[in-house]
């Protein structure tokens, strides 16, 4: 199957969150969208080697319908999707900086300094979220 993008297929990025997530922690993801993007997915997960691990926040960026869908999986069950966004911040071949701030009650997500959405915590034990996984049509330049 040929990829219509000239860039090599992107391997999933998995970054460890040492000692798990806690309120006041901030993650910053800098990257560039591929030239012909379909989607990319960012997940804050429990155990990356366990396929049915809990997911504290999954963000699916879909370029076809210009949506940013959020959800969480708790005890093997996906919850209700959240879709409302004030704008669609991603463009093919453009750099972006996404910041995820873990607050006491929610995740606050900004793209290029503009607030995109808040997502109320569905997993109460945030420290069980020990990895950030990113897959799809994006080339990461920096993740901290």
């Amino acid at each position: 199957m040929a990829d219509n993008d000239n860039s090599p297929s992107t391997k999933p990025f998995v970054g460890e969150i040492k000692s798990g997530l806690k309120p006041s922690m901030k993650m910053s993801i800098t990257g560039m969208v591929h030239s012909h993007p379909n989607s990319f997915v960012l997940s804050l997960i429990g155990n990356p080697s366990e396929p049915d691990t809990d997911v504290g926040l999954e963000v699916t960026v879909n370029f076809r319908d210009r949506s940013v869908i959020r959800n969480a999986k708790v005890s093997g069950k996906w919850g209700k999707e959240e879709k409302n966004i004030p704008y669609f911040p991603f463009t093919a071949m453009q750099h972006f900086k996404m910041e995820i701030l873990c607050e006491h009650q929610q995740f606050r997500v900004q793209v290029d300094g503009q607030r995109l959405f808040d997502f109320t915590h569905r997993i109460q034990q945030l420290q069980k979220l020990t990895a950030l996984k990113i897959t799809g049509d994006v080339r990461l330049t920096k993740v901290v």
Side-chain angles (χ1 to χ4, degrees), residues 8 44 51:
L44 290 167

Side-chain angles (χ1 to χ4, degrees), residues 44 53-59 69-82 107 119-123 129:
L44 290 167
T53 188
D54 281 350
V55 179
L57 172 64
E58 181 166 280
V59 180
I69 300 168
R70 288 88 63 197
N71 206 341
K73 183 167 73 170
V74 184
S75 303
K77 291 189 175 64
W78 286 100
K80 186 178 186 305
E81 288 185 342
E82 296 180 17
F107 294 108
F119 187 84
T120 302
H121 295 311
R122 298 182 189 173
I123 290 181
L129 300 174

Side-chain angles (χ1 to χ4, degrees), residues 26-44:
K26 183 162 129 182
M27 285 162 278
S28 183
I29 299 116
T30 309
M32 188 165 107
V33 177
H34 284 181
S35 57
H36 301 287
N38 291 319
S39 65
F40 69 90
V41 179
L42 178 148
S43 310
L44 290 167

Side-chain angles (χ1 to χ4, degrees), residues 71-139:
N71 206 341
K73 183 167 73 170
V74 184
S75 303
K77 291 189 175 64
W78 286 100
K80 186 178 186 305
E81 288 185 342
E82 296 180 17
K83 295 183 178 184
N84 290 351
I85 51 171
Y87 65 103
F88 186 76
F90 303 100
T91 307
M93 299 300 291
Q94 292 291 308
H95 287 274
F96 67 89
K97 180 178 183 182
M98 179 186 274
E99 292 176 304
I100 303 170
L101 177 62
C102 181
E103 298 180 337
H104 284 280
Q105 303 295 322
Q106 66 190 5
F107 294 108
R108 172 161 291 180
V109 178
Q110 296 188 151
V111 177
D112 297 328
Q114 298 253 1
R115 188 156 151 199
L116 185 60
F117 64 84
D118 294 342
F119 187 84
T120 302
H121 295 311
R122 298 182 189 173
I123 290 181
Q124 298 314 310
Q125 295 171 303
L126 293 172
Q127 70 276 12
K128 286 189 171 180
L129 300 174
T130 58
L132 169 67
K133 182 176 177 182
I134 303 170
T135 59
D137 300 326
V138 66
R139 186 168 56 82

